[in-house]
Amino acid sequence: MLRFVEELLILVEEEQVPNRTLRYALAGAVLMDLALEHRIDTDLEALYLTDATPVGDALLDPVLADIAQGPQSQSCEFWVRRIAEKGDCLHAQALARLEAEGIMESDDGGFFAVALRVRHSHRYPRNPLLAAAGAAAEQEIRSRLMDILFNDDVIPSPRDIAIISLCRACRLFRQTLTPEEYDAVEERIELIARLEQPARALTEALRTMTVSEVVASRRIMQERGGGWPMASGSLPILGHALALNGDLMAFFTEQYRKHGPVFGLKAPGRRFVALAGPEANLFFGREGKAHLRNRETWDPWARELGASNILIGLDGAEHRLLRGTLREPYSRNFILGRLPAVVDVVDQELAGHSPDRPVAVFNMMQRIVSEQVTMLTTGTPSRDHVPDLATFLTFGLMAHVIGRYPRLAMRLPRVRRARRNMELLSERVLRDHERQLGPEDQPDLIDNLVDLHRSHPDFMSAADLCANVMGPFMVGLESVAGTTAFALYALQQHPDVAERVQREADEMFAAGGPTPELFERMTATRWLAMEALRMYPIGVALPPRHVINSFEFAGYVIPHGTTLLMVSSVPHKMPEYFPDPERFDIDRYSPERREHHQPGAYVPFGLGHHACMGQGFADVQMAVTIATLLHRADVVMDPPGYRLKMNYIPAPRPNRKFRVRLIPRR
């Protein structure tokens, strides 16, 4: 049987519930289960132990033992606070149980959501997966609760009363219902929440605690808002614009050392508050979804695409829905099952090069990376479209997200031509996917999007579908292509590392590879990509977020309406975490050292609920691509002795002067 903690997590999933409120709600959920198991009882003043016999449930029994051994006749609020201290552990334990039952699943970015196959059933308590878990409800949890709230003739069970009371206490209904819907059922929610004494006592304690803390928090916000230091180096009119166009890693690391984890930034027409350092990473990963929103940053880009809903610009339930749709094709397991296709794309690229003619590495990697992603996830080649894709992506980011170009730049002839060619490509991809899948057919990423459009046309409109179809054609054009190019430069500077990586590649291909088993043995190659991500992070700072709920961090109050810049990569260059941080050292990631496992220290793929879901895919893609290149060819820098020069906007990358000759090996 699903416990209240598990039902609550299924309902909450990625809703923007503050972490503290969620911990309180999880504590209340455990206590409600114990009450229904007749182990505890409550009145308006205290909580009492009635039976210390273990329930036989790993979520409930430790709490029951604590109540049995702890002080007696304490208030509900006392026990909620006490249990909430271990709320993160409860959260992780319940998620692990839901994942083991196949009800929820996590992607490579650590993001949990209801499993796609379960969600598609729409009535998952009747699904065999949930039957095995002991779920007794006849309808899916959300549908069941909505039926109770909107139908006065339905009599709620004690379990329904308890879960509705919990949702009321953490204000979940205010987030999941429209204002009109909430007004229509508010009175019934209040009535139901008072029907059972244990639920009433526990949720009143929850509400008292959360309301008092909100009031105290607002008072602090009013008294202490602002006051953070301004980053040094600001110029009249330009502010920090010149610094933000240069080596962001060096600039932000210097500001963190000078000012700590919170400091202000100015650019023409824009102001930001930056959060930096390991403590900011931990806070952002834990609390970001409750306080920050992406839509304000990405709405202009979505409108440029003619869409309303694109993955990176969504939050809450909408983000969860679209991310779940795209999860499988961007996963580590997906690419591990298709490694020969990854190699084939590299071989096709090499076949088009003469050993006497140098090639610009970044542009070559853009062609390889894009072709690999699109062939694997959509079945459509993209090599011939990369110049248009790169042009539109670069100008779109610069004009709509980063703000370096005026928006009129999107009307330049080359950009308009690139956009038109992309629209034609999108139309062709959708035509190619006008098919009826058989029971043995494996749907690809485009099939999943088309299915979402058919099942949720109000969310995934035809315009949204066309825009999201272009997603895989742009994935990795800056990030994976840039990191792989940096890794190839590092190999030129470190022949000892190049020898180790080439030896691994030769051994893999000699054994008939690549296969998932042989890939796991390529430790030096995988560590090479990880060190390139540390030394040359593509996302030094995450795209700006909009603060929707004021919060306190590091002694400063960040008010609602602030534009926040999360500088995630500062710890990459901190000797406290990575000794001698300017030294390229792939053995940092060995089992003996594991420097990247220090909390908040290594953040190459973003943080929180918008962390890159394709990081596992990218790890495999980079390692196998590098291994194939080094097995097939000697990579020789041209001219010899070239010293790396970088472009920093829209993302760090080697400039076009980093060239190599690819000399076939026997």
Side-chain angles (χ1 to χ4, degrees), residues 3 48 364 389 432 447 534 558 590:
R3 294 297 182 181
Y48 304 95
M364 175 181 71
L389 292 166
D432 291 344
D447 293 318
R534 183 192 71 83
I558 315 299
S590 65

PDB file of all heavy atoms in Angstrom, residues 3 48 364 389 432 447 534 558 590:
ATOM      1  N   ARG A   3       1.972   4.743   1.100  1.00  0.00           N
ATOM      2  CA  ARG A   3       1.844   5.545   2.307  1.00  0.00           C
ATOM      3  C   ARG A   3       1.572   7.003   1.925  1.00  0.00           C
ATOM      4  O   ARG A   3       1.791   7.429   0.791  1.00  0.00           O
ATOM      5  CB  ARG A   3       3.110   5.422   3.148  1.00  0.00           C
ATOM      6  CG  ARG A   3       3.347   4.020   3.702  1.00  0.00           C
ATOM      7  CD  ARG A   3       2.237   3.620   4.651  1.00  0.00           C
ATOM      8  NE  ARG A   3       2.463   2.288   5.231  1.00  0.00           N
ATOM      9  CZ  ARG A   3       1.622   1.704   6.074  1.00  0.00           C
ATOM     10  NH1 ARG A   3       0.499   2.330   6.432  1.00  0.00           N
ATOM     11  NH2 ARG A   3       1.867   0.494   6.555  1.00  0.00           N
ATOM     12  N   TYR A  48      -0.388  11.378  21.475  1.00  0.00           N
ATOM     13  CA  TYR A  48      -0.187  10.300  22.438  1.00  0.00           C
ATOM     14  C   TYR A  48       0.192   9.011  21.720  1.00  0.00           C
ATOM     15  O   TYR A  48      -0.341   8.708  20.641  1.00  0.00           O
ATOM     16  CB  TYR A  48      -1.469  10.042  23.243  1.00  0.00           C
ATOM     17  CG  TYR A  48      -2.004  11.260  23.942  1.00  0.00           C
ATOM     18  CD1 TYR A  48      -2.987  12.053  23.352  1.00  0.00           C
ATOM     19  CD2 TYR A  48      -1.522  11.617  25.204  1.00  0.00           C
ATOM     20  CE1 TYR A  48      -3.484  13.166  24.000  1.00  0.00           C
ATOM     21  CE2 TYR A  48      -2.022  12.741  25.855  1.00  0.00           C
ATOM     22  CZ  TYR A  48      -3.000  13.513  25.246  1.00  0.00           C
ATOM     23  OH  TYR A  48      -3.491  14.624  25.885  1.00  0.00           O
ATOM     24  N   MET A 364      33.938  21.252 -36.693  1.00  0.00           N
ATOM     25  CA  MET A 364      33.863  19.807 -36.934  1.00  0.00           C
ATOM     26  C   MET A 364      33.046  19.128 -35.838  1.00  0.00           C
ATOM     27  O   MET A 364      32.190  18.273 -36.114  1.00  0.00           O
ATOM     28  CB  MET A 364      35.261  19.204 -36.983  1.00  0.00           C
ATOM     29  CG  MET A 364      35.271  17.683 -37.110  1.00  0.00           C
ATOM     30  SD  MET A 364      36.928  16.962 -37.142  1.00  0.00           S
ATOM     31  CE  MET A 364      37.421  17.210 -35.426  1.00  0.00           C
ATOM     32  N   LEU A 389      21.489  26.072 -38.251  1.00  0.00           N
ATOM     33  CA  LEU A 389      21.125  25.851 -36.854  1.00  0.00           C
ATOM     34  C   LEU A 389      21.990  26.692 -35.928  1.00  0.00           C
ATOM     35  O   LEU A 389      21.501  27.323 -34.988  1.00  0.00           O
ATOM     36  CB  LEU A 389      21.271  24.366 -36.508  1.00  0.00           C
ATOM     37  CG  LEU A 389      20.285  23.413 -37.192  1.00  0.00           C
ATOM     38  CD1 LEU A 389      20.759  21.967 -37.040  1.00  0.00           C
ATOM     39  CD2 LEU A 389      18.895  23.575 -36.598  1.00  0.00           C
ATOM     40  N   ASP A 432       7.699  13.077 -41.941  1.00  0.00           N
ATOM     41  CA  ASP A 432       8.300  11.741 -41.861  1.00  0.00           C
ATOM     42  C   ASP A 432       7.761  10.938 -40.685  1.00  0.00           C
ATOM     43  O   ASP A 432       7.919   9.711 -40.648  1.00  0.00           O
ATOM     44  CB  ASP A 432       9.825  11.855 -41.741  1.00  0.00           C
ATOM     45  CG  ASP A 432      10.475  12.374 -43.011  1.00  0.00           C
ATOM     46  OD1 ASP A 432       9.812  12.358 -44.061  1.00  0.00           O
ATOM     47  OD2 ASP A 432      11.645  12.812 -42.945  1.00  0.00           O
ATOM     48  N   ASP A 447       8.178  11.030 -32.120  1.00  0.00           N
ATOM     49  CA  ASP A 447       6.932  10.310 -31.866  1.00  0.00           C
ATOM     50  C   ASP A 447       6.365  10.681 -30.496  1.00  0.00           C
ATOM     51  O   ASP A 447       5.153  10.842 -30.329  1.00  0.00           O
ATOM     52  CB  ASP A 447       7.170   8.795 -31.929  1.00  0.00           C
ATOM     53  CG  ASP A 447       7.522   8.311 -33.323  1.00  0.00           C
ATOM     54  OD1 ASP A 447       6.885   8.774 -34.282  1.00  0.00           O
ATOM     55  OD2 ASP A 447       8.436   7.483 -33.450  1.00  0.00           O
ATOM     56  N   ARG A 534      35.419  20.617 -16.182  1.00  0.00           N
ATOM     57  CA  ARG A 534      35.826  21.408 -15.009  1.00  0.00           C
ATOM     58  C   ARG A 534      36.674  22.603 -15.427  1.00  0.00           C
ATOM     59  O   ARG A 534      36.425  23.742 -15.005  1.00  0.00           O
ATOM     60  CB  ARG A 534      36.627  20.551 -14.026  1.00  0.00           C
ATOM     61  CG  ARG A 534      37.017  21.312 -12.745  1.00  0.00           C
ATOM     62  CD  ARG A 534      38.039  20.574 -11.922  1.00  0.00           C
ATOM     63  NE  ARG A 534      39.352  20.566 -12.532  1.00  0.00           N
ATOM     64  CZ  ARG A 534      40.250  21.553 -12.439  1.00  0.00           C
ATOM     65  NH1 ARG A 534      39.960  22.656 -11.767  1.00  0.00           N
ATOM     66  NH2 ARG A 534      41.421  21.457 -13.029  1.00  0.00           N
ATOM     67  N   ILE A 558      16.876  38.228  -0.662  1.00  0.00           N
ATOM     68  CA  ILE A 558      16.727  38.418  -2.108  1.00  0.00           C
ATOM     69  C   ILE A 558      15.240  38.559  -2.391  1.00  0.00           C
ATOM     70  O   ILE A 558      14.482  37.583  -2.298  1.00  0.00           O
ATOM     71  CB  ILE A 558      17.313  37.222  -2.893  1.00  0.00           C
ATOM     72  CG1 ILE A 558      18.683  36.809  -2.327  1.00  0.00           C
ATOM     73  CG2 ILE A 558      17.380  37.554  -4.375  1.00  0.00           C
ATOM     74  CD1 ILE A 558      19.744  37.875  -2.404  1.00  0.00           C
ATOM     75  N   SER A 590      39.456   9.698 -10.031  1.00  0.00           N
ATOM     76  CA  SER A 590      39.728   8.297  -9.702  1.00  0.00           C
ATOM     77  C   SER A 590      39.030   7.934  -8.393  1.00  0.00           C
ATOM     78  O   SER A 590      38.721   8.803  -7.567  1.00  0.00           O
ATOM     79  CB  SER A 590      41.229   8.064  -9.577  1.00  0.00           C
ATOM     80  OG  SER A 590      41.754   8.795  -8.478  1.00  0.00           O
TER      81      SER A 590
END
